Amino acid sequence: MTEISSKNQPLVQALTDTLGERIVAIEEHRGQLTVEIAREHWLDAAWMLRDEPSLAFEQLTDLCGIDYLGFGDSEWETAEATGSGFSRAAEGLGPGRFSWADRPEAEDIPNRFAVIVHLLSLAHNRRLRLRCYAPDDDMPVLPSLIEVWNSVNWYEREAFDLFGIIFEGHPDLRRLLTDYGFIGHPFRKDFPLIGNVTVRYDEDKGRVIYEPVEIEPRVTVARVVRTDHWHIDPTVERGES
């Protein structure tokens, strides 16, 4: 557990008293608490968070998936980059640009996929962030929270569509944003940035058709922001020249 501010101490105490060993870890960042819940207690912890009067998180405001593949790796080396050249700082090996055989691994992360939930307690005017890891990278499965907060319906469908996370017990787990015939999950880090197919409407056939991708993979170079002022002549700033 990281150091908790005095403002969040009462909430942390209520969480530990109610959830006990169901809590894997509690972290605070910029005043926001994140509670990691063990997968086997994901559903019963949700019931307690909603029904326990000292917590009373009666509203779920958001749910999303996370893919930790290559977490912490960066294709940009801006600190030591030069100020010229179009390929500076770009390795070209970031998410969506590597082959499956050469894909990065999520180091120091217990599992690749996780689900994040944001809760709101109107009674106590508090917000809470939950995280739960799916135990199987090949088939990430977590219990659905729809019986606890029915607002999670489309959020879980979105996470299933974009990340391939399966929510066991969801009554209508279908794709939400992609097409019915879509293959893969576009927010996964190993999904190509250029996609697998091009989709367009054909006027002659009167329907949507799929065609091979014509876009070439490329690396766009971000602006390099230097903080050492190496390009500034100090005599100019002093008005000496």
Side-chain angles (χ1 to χ4, degrees):
M1 182 184 298
T2 59
E3 184 176 353
I4 306 299
S5 63
S6 58
K7 177 183 178 181
N8 285 323
Q9 285 289 351
L11 176 55
V12 171
Q13 187 63 52
L15 289 168
T16 53
D17 290 344
T18 302
L19 300 181
E21 295 182 354
R22 296 173 179 84
I23 298 176
V24 177
I26 300 180
E27 301 174 355
E28 180 178 344
H29 180 67
R30 297 182 181 274
Q32 172 73 63
L33 283 180
T34 298
V35 179
E36 182 183 334
I37 303 295
R39 190 270 182 198
E40 59 270 21
H41 298 301
W42 183 237
L43 189 55
D44 57 306
W47 284 110
M48 294 179 178
L49 287 165
R50 192 195 72 173
D51 296 338
E52 172 59 38
S54 63
L55 299 173
F57 287 101
E58 61 266 56
Q59 184 173 344
L60 182 146
T61 61
D62 189 28
L63 177 146
C64 66
I66 292 183
D67 182 359
Y68 284 104
L69 182 67
F71 180 75
D73 296 335
S74 175
E75 62 181 328
W76 303 106
E77 297 293 340
T78 58
E80 299 178 358
T82 63
S84 62
F86 289 102
S87 63
R88 65 184 184 276
E91 297 292 337
L93 299 176
R97 300 190 179 99
F98 44 77
S99 65
W100 177 253
D102 300 326
R103 69 190 186 279
E105 297 296 335
E107 298 181 359
D108 301 325
I109 299 296
N111 297 103
R112 174 179 171 182
F113 295 101
V115 165
I116 299 293
V117 168
H118 289 266
L119 302 178
L120 171 63
S121 171
L122 299 174
H124 301 293
N125 191 25
R126 291 171 173 168
R127 294 184 182 272
L128 184 65
R129 183 174 181 261
L130 302 180
R131 178 171 58 198
C132 183
Y133 289 97
D136 189 350
D137 293 349
D138 296 326
M139 183 68 72
V141 180
L142 287 176
S144 174
L145 300 179
I146 196 167
E147 293 185 1
V148 186
W149 298 284
N150 58 14
S151 61
V152 81
N153 191 338
W154 281 25
Y155 294 130
E156 288 185 343
R157 285 183 58 185
E158 180 185 50
F160 163 70
D161 189 359
L162 301 180
F163 291 93
I165 300 173
I166 298 173
F167 295 91
E168 190 175 24
H170 193 287
D172 189 24
L173 196 62
R174 294 177 293 132
R175 289 188 180 271
L176 182 66
L177 300 175
T178 58
D179 188 58
Y180 291 110
F182 194 89
I183 298 176
H185 304 281
F187 275 19
R188 288 191 174 190
K189 295 294 182 64
D190 50 27
F191 191 88
L193 292 180
I194 61 174
N196 292 315
V197 295
T198 297
V199 181
R200 70 176 181 86
Y201 182 79
D202 190 286
E203 293 285 352
D204 296 332
K205 296 181 179 180
R207 61 179 176 86
V208 173
I209 63 172
Y210 296 86
E211 296 177 337
V213 179
E214 298 179 354
I215 303 173
E216 292 293 332
R218 65 188 180 92
V219 176
T220 56
V221 180
R223 178 186 178 189
V224 178
V225 179
R226 301 297 295 261
T227 58
D228 53 5
H229 302 290
W230 62 271
H231 59 289
I232 299 177
D233 186 347
T235 59
V236 175
E237 290 186 334
R238 292 195 298 263
E240 297 175 3
S241 62

